[in-house]
Amino acid sequence: MLLWLLLHFLIAAAGTLLARRYALQRDLLDHPGERRSHQVATPRGGGIAIVVAMLVAIVALALRDPSQRWLLGGFGVGFVLVAAVGMVDDHRPLPASLRLAVHALAGMVLAISVQMAAGNSWLSAMAFLSVIVLTNIWNFMDGINGLATSQALLLALALAWLLGGSWALLAGALAASCTGFLPFNFPRARIFLGDGGSGGIGYCLAGLGTIAALTEGAAALWLLLPLSAFMVDAGLTLLKRVVQRERWWEAHTRHAYQAWARVVGHTRVTLAYASWTATTVAVMIVLRSTPVVLALALCVVTYLAASVVWWRLERMESHIKTTGDK
């Protein structure tokens, strides 16, 4: 296990260095602007290193474990689709409708693989919806230094603990890959994930979460706890933009984490979100063997609490500006 983790850590770290050099040579830079949360031009596309590391893991595990080969194959095909359309978008912006169509296709591939493996239509539907939701949430929430990668790292660790066999190794590979990339993105960002990296991470979490539901049944509901920070911030911000008839699919800086970062800085916000998620992971580990109804009750309480925090953070910046003007 240690050698496995070290391998994927090194692939991600070395790949990020190469990706940064490539991005600088090709002028693949995110420039500051009203729809950005950073102040200096920064290379993008570093998530390709995580993508490569995960592809190595998928192929290695498919060769090692024939019993999971078809499911890992479907997982891998969907992963490539999401990562590829994101990397193309990193080089040349694509229409949001095209990216969403590719995400839907990736979700269908995973759903068909799950249906073939489990014969469970509800689980297949969950696979499809999870890919659409988490792929885009990780893209939406990749806006400040270290946030998307640190959250993925914590969730991957939770999944590695929950799963077994080849899938635990795959979750461990994701955690190690995120660890290899993170020093280049936090606390100071020398390169960003890009759409290929953030989308690929979101897809992996969706796929691994589906496998957790396949193997663990209702106990997989506990995974909703560590997802709460991103689900609430992304979901409520998206709902607000839709209600206000904004072009919700375009880049923006309206998330609660972005408003908070403008007040206290990227590092504090990323660490605060990590503390929230680490706490929910610990709760999940301690209470996993308790009745599932407790998981549902805790999820309701946690999401309500997160919604209150979102509401307060979302108004923090405007309150400070109003007070300053007075």
Side-chain angles (χ1 to χ4, degrees):
M1 174 62 81
L2 289 176
L3 288 176
W4 175 261
L5 297 177
L6 180 61
L7 171 65
H8 291 87
F9 171 86
L10 292 175
I11 291 173
T16 304
L17 281 172
L18 294 174
R20 187 174 187 276
R21 181 181 302 176
Y22 172 83
L24 290 171
Q25 291 174 347
R26 294 297 185 92
D27 197 32
L28 295 178
L29 304 175
D30 277 344
H31 294 276
E34 62 179 12
R35 296 179 179 177
R36 305 288 182 183
S37 296
H38 56 282
Q39 302 301 318
V40 297
T42 306
R44 64 177 181 269
I48 180 62
I50 296 175
V51 171
V52 171
M54 290 304 293
L55 286 176
V56 169
I58 291 167
V59 172
L61 291 171
L63 293 173
R64 173 182 178 270
D65 187 356
S67 68
Q68 298 295 314
R69 188 165 296 168
W70 285 105
L71 194 50
L72 282 165
F75 185 104
V77 170
F79 177 62
V80 168
L81 286 171
V82 169
V85 74
M87 286 185 284
V88 171
D89 188 63
D90 287 333
H91 286 76
R92 182 178 181 180
L94 298 172
S97 57
L98 176 58
R99 298 198 306 272
L100 185 59
V102 175
H103 296 166
L105 177 59
M108 288 178 61
V109 171
L110 181 62
I112 291 171
S113 299
V114 170
Q115 181 66 29
M116 292 176 63
N120 188 322
S121 298
W122 287 105
L123 200 58
S124 298
M126 172 188 161
F128 176 79
L129 291 174
S130 296
V131 167
I132 300 296
V133 171
L134 294 185
T135 295
N136 285 283
I137 281 180
W138 246 258
N139 182 266
F140 294 159
M141 298 295 288
D142 181 30
I144 63 173
N145 300 348
L147 182 63
T149 311
S150 61
Q151 290 291 303
L153 169 59
L154 291 168
L155 278 157
L157 291 173
L159 284 159
W161 174 82
L162 190 64
L163 293 165
S166 295
W167 297 101
L169 290 172
L170 189 61
L174 178 58
S177 300
C178 289
T179 305
F181 172 82
L182 197 56
F184 299 92
N185 187 243
F186 181 81
R188 182 175 67 88
R190 288 179 283 166
I191 191 168
F192 296 144
L193 280 171
D195 287 352
S198 60
I201 287 174
Y203 175 90
C204 284
L205 294 172
L208 289 167
T210 301
I211 301 303
L214 174 62
T215 59
E216 297 293 318
L221 286 171
W222 285 107
L223 287 171
L224 291 173
L225 280 179
L227 280 169
S228 58
F230 267 27
M231 292 285 282
V232 168
D233 196 344
L236 291 182
T237 302
L238 178 61
L239 177 62
K240 179 179 178 180
R241 298 194 76 209
V242 170
V243 170
Q244 294 179 344
R245 298 184 178 181
E246 298 180 13
R247 296 170 66 87
W248 55 266
W249 57 89
E250 292 184 347
H252 63 93
T253 55
R254 298 282 301 279
H255 287 286
Y257 77 86
Q258 291 169 316
W260 194 17
R262 287 191 289 272
V263 176
V264 302
H266 292 209
T267 300
R268 289 185 181 181
V269 175
T270 295
L271 292 176
Y273 271 67
S275 298
W276 174 287
T277 300
T279 300
T280 57
V281 168
V283 170
M284 183 190 80
I285 291 173
V286 171
L287 299 179
R288 179 193 169 201
S289 59
T290 57
V292 174
V293 66
L294 179 60
L296 290 172
L298 278 177
C299 282
V300 171
V301 172
T302 300
Y303 277 71
L304 287 174
S307 298
V308 172
V309 173
W310 175 87
W311 181 78
R312 291 178 65 85
L313 292 178
E314 204 265 346
R315 282 157 178 73
M316 176 186 293
E317 187 179 34
S318 60
H319 174 73
I320 291 175
K321 286 181 178 179
T322 301
T323 304
D325 292 340
K326 290 180 180 181

